């Protein structure tokens, strides 16, 4: 099989396409024929040597979408459509940047859909993170206001779709006016240009601040996001678009505004119930929801895909197809 292999951290040239043996699954594992995989900042961190616990050489990729090829334990039938994510994929064992990936059955989620593979490939990690952050991280409720800091990221766009479906008023940020239309298209009520002082803009728009805030940029913007949140509101730290995720010399009393609560969300496949995945895909098929799909590349252009992700030039989730699959570029 063809796979993208990292022999160690490096620049774009570190992403090498190689021929590897197809993995042989043991009982309790599933071999998946990968039809599409999405790109994530986590894989950029792995390539740049910023991720902990990674061993090399390694096939990166924390998610994959495809069909069951072999399942010796019988948990899934061959041909079943599935997604998989997290659980050490692309870090402690080979991940989704390949024609086949072998993962524990416990982190495989089945679904049935006639949507095209690029659309399906954009969903798993994006939906899992957005859903988990809104439910476990923030426990959002209908009628509340939500700030999404990093709104034009794939998770930010997915969170906006889910939040609007739950009856929230959504405020989202972007650093450029060119992406305002993208946020409006997924139902964002108030778009703010992130000039570093979003809190001021939020209070000008909503008075006391938002009920909940989803921080996807990272620790550089977290203090301002906390200030944008009303007393007894909640901020969930769930992303690191800035590649910065630690706070030096953290002193809670000085760092946290009075009465504002701070949580975090990471999560894995077990946080995305099969019925939630199926329901979301059904809603997309029926036109009740949308997938913020960006550019689609063949695996031969994995370096181009990573370059766009690294430069933050994506307009949605970047998806790669490991096989031709009647591939057409999406612009």
């Amino acid at each position: 099989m063809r796979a993208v292999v990292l022999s160690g951290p490096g620049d774009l040239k570190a992403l090498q396409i190689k021929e590897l043996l197809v993995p042989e699954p043991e009982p309790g594992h599933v071999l998946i024929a990968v039809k599409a995989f999405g790109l994530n900042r986590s894989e950029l961190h792995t390539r740049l040597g910023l991720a902990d616990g990674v061993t090399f050489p390694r096939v990166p990729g924390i998610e994959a979408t495809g069909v069951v090829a072999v399942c010796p334990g019988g948990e899934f039938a061959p041909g079943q459509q599935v997604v998989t994510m997290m659980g050490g994929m692309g870090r402690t064992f080979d991940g989704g940047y390949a024609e086949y990936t072998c993962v524990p059955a416990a982190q495989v989620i089945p679904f049935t859909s006639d949507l095209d593979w690029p659309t399906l490939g954009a969903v798993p990690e994006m939906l899992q993170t957005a859903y988990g952050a809104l439910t476990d991280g923030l426990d959002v409720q209908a009628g509340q206001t939500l700030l999404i800091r990093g709104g034009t990221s794939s998770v930010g766009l997915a969170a906006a779709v889910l939040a609007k479906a739950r009856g929230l008023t959504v405020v989202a940020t972007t650093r450029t006016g060119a992406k305002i239309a993208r946020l409006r298209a997924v139902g964002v009520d108030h778009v703010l240009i992130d000039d570093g002082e979003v809190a001021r803009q939020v209070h000008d728009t909503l008075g006391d601040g938002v009920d909940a805030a989803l921080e996807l940029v990272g620790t550089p913007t977290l203090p301002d996001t906390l200030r944008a949140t009303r007393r007894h509101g909640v901020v969930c730290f769930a992303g690191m678009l800035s590649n910065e995720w630690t706070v030096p010399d953290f002193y809670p009393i000085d760092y946290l505004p009075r009465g504002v609560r701070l949580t975090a969300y990471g999560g894995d496949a077990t946080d995305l119930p099969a019925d939630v995945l199926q329901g979301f895909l059904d809603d997309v098929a029926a036109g009740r929801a949308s997938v913020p799909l960006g550019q689609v590349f063949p695996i031969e252009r994995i370096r181009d895909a990573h370059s766009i992700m690294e430069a933050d030039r994506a307009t949605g989730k970047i998806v790669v197809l490991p096989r031709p699959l009647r591939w057409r570029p999406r612009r």
Side-chain angles (χ1 to χ4, degrees), residues 40 65 68 72 94 109-110 122 175 217 236 239 280 288 318:
N40 300 277
T65 301
V68 173
D94 286 342
I109 308 172
R175 292 182 298 172
V217 176
C236 179
F280 179 77
R288 295 186 294 268
I318 299 173

Side-chain angles (χ1 to χ4, degrees), residues 12-89:
L12 293 170
K13 293 180 181 179
L15 297 164
Q16 300 283 337
I17 297 178
K18 297 185 177 182
E19 289 286 337
L20 302 180
L21 293 176
V22 176
E24 295 185 9
E26 300 177 351
H29 284 68
V30 181
L31 180 67
I32 299 171
V34 180
K35 302 296 185 181
F37 60 84
L39 265 58
N40 300 277
R41 300 291 292 191
S42 172
E43 294 127 24
L44 176 60
H45 297 158
T46 296
R47 176 171 67 77
L48 296 177
L50 301 175
D52 293 330
V54 181
T55 56
F56 297 99
R58 179 63 60 220
V59 175
I62 65 170
E63 67 174 311
T65 301
V67 298
V68 173
V70 181
C71 184
E75 294 90 346
F76 301 96
Q80 170 69 59
Q81 293 174 298
V82 292
V83 301
T84 184
M85 69 206 78
M86 303 295 285
M89 284 184 70

Side-chain angles (χ1 to χ4, degrees), residues 56-134:
F56 297 99
R58 179 63 60 220
V59 175
I62 65 170
E63 67 174 311
T65 301
V67 298
V68 173
V70 181
C71 184
E75 294 90 346
F76 301 96
Q80 170 69 59
Q81 293 174 298
V82 292
V83 301
T84 184
M85 69 206 78
M86 303 295 285
M89 284 184 70
R91 291 194 172 192
T92 59
F93 62 89
D94 286 342
Y97 283 26
E99 293 182 324
Y100 290 90
T101 189
C102 185
V103 301
Q107 65 186 71
V108 176
I109 308 172
F111 69 90
T112 301
S113 179
D114 291 328
L115 294 170
D116 61 74
W117 287 113
T119 299
L120 294 169
V123 171
E125 178 61 16
M126 178 176 66
L127 180 63
Q128 177 256 312
T129 303
Y131 175 79
L134 293 181

